[in-house]
Amino acid sequence: MAGIYLHIPFCKQRCIYCDFYFVTGQRLHPTFVQALCTEIEYYGQLYGRLEPIETIYFGGGTPSRLSLEEVARVLNELYRYFDLSALQEVTFEVNPEDASRDYLSGLHSLGINRLSIGVQSFYEADLRFMNRAHTAEQAEAAIENARRAGFENFNVDLIFGLPDQPLEYWMANLQKVADRDIPHVSTYSLTIEPRTVLYKQVERGLVQPADEETYRACYDFAMEYLEARGYEHYEISNFARPGYQSRHNHTYWRHGNYLGFGPSAHSFWWGQLPEPGAYRWANVRNLRRYEALLAQHHLPLEFREGLSYDQLAEEYLYLRLRTAEGLDLDHYAERYGVDLLSERLDELAELEAEGLIEPIRNGKLRLSRKGRHVCDAIVARLL
Ligand code: SF4
């Protein structure tokens, strides 16, 4: 079973922390939708019958900048070229400023069965700082509208560690999630990426980033608070009510195949067809170039590379340790040729003594709560 990701690169305005690929100020996008459909057709002819598609994810950018007609056209194209007979989950990212009840009802009637709402915070001061395009009131209304439109499965994104954000705001954000019985929440720490407005503000000394201790306190609080209220902490950044974990993300974390369409989208395919081996590729991060390449019957590729077993093993370790399920050591040895129990026994013992991993049970390697703070460092020690 494979997944499909669609990158819709339009945003109303620029959030100060964002380093995703997007453009602002465009309301009509017929040339983009045409290019996207051309790309779907091309890959559909090569990959469309190799594996049934289990999940589709509209991400961005802001997919909710598309009209319902444009969404319908893209979905029709996917139905035309891919095997969607086993489709389980179709997620659509919406920003609160677009989340009217009519729009969400329209998405629901098109077969979208999961929303991811870009709330980030329920507090006006946080939203203004981040230059989000919505208000706190719109964030609350989006959740109401999602339910009224028939969505029982939806996520909200929240960001913690904003400069000068009182810890109480973060606690209150999580309380709103639990009080409203929101089935899934993704929590992200505010990171300062190069080429963002925030990066320049920090460089000029206009903004003082939160310190390590604040990040740690926010994350610890989220784990304790949400788990005590029945949420499963099933991946480092993700919490869900039982039965509401994201299937699409599980495809990434189990090294499943996925195709990404749209500018800057990434793909991964490992199999015998259309050619043997594992490959990763990414599209160009430029809308005009993406459209022009497809119009000239070229693939809009930025790069494409074959992956060695060493690269696959490293990536898989990183992906599995992020999950609460953890790494199945037998499977790792069989499929990736790395037997951690015999090759890295000393390091495993040290990590356990430091409280960074759980004692190994049923052949599974899992991070402890403490270890979730430093997943990357643990992977580096094991490799
Ligand atoms: S809406 Fe999302 S993709 Fe667009 S600028 Fe803000 S964070 Fe980035």
Side-chain angles (χ1 to χ4, degrees), residues 348-357:
L348 288 170
E350 272 180 41
L351 289 167
E352 190 182 326
E354 291 169 41
L356 295 172
I357 60 171

Side-chain angles (χ1 to χ4, degrees), residues 213-231:
E213 216 172 292
T214 305
Y215 284 119
R216 193 171 276 273
C218 289
Y219 188 50
D220 278 338
F221 179 79
M223 287 192 273
E224 264 167 45
Y225 183 84
L226 292 172
E227 284 181 53
R229 278 152 191 83
Y231 286 85

Side-chain angles (χ1 to χ4, degrees), residues 10-15 17-22 60-62 95 97 120 131-132:
F10 304 104
C11 290
K12 191 170 177 201
Q13 62 193 48
R14 177 179 296 271
C15 304
Y17 55 85
C18 181
D19 75 337
F20 294 126
Y21 176 67
F22 66 94
T62 310
N95 274 351
E97 68 272 19
Q120 316 308 350
N131 197 37
R132 296 290 298 175

Side-chain angles (χ1 to χ4, degrees), residues 3 34 40 54 60 77 95 99 136 162 164 203 239 276 283 286 295 302 317 320-321 330 333 369:
Q34 178 54 50
I40 290 169
E54 189 188 16
E77 211 66 3
N95 274 351
L162 305 186
D164 302 324
E203 228 178 18
F239 301 82
N283 283 348
N286 181 302
E302 181 77 45
L317 178 62
R320 290 315 302 169
L321 287 190
D330 286 343
R369 189 176 275 193

Side-chain angles (χ1 to χ4, degrees), residues 39-60:
E39 193 187 11
I40 290 169
E41 178 184 346
Y42 180 81
Y43 280 100
Q45 283 165 356
L46 278 175
Y47 293 83
R49 300 291 142 187
L50 296 183
E51 274 186 40
I53 300 299
E54 189 188 16
T55 61
I56 296 171
Y57 193 102
F58 286 81

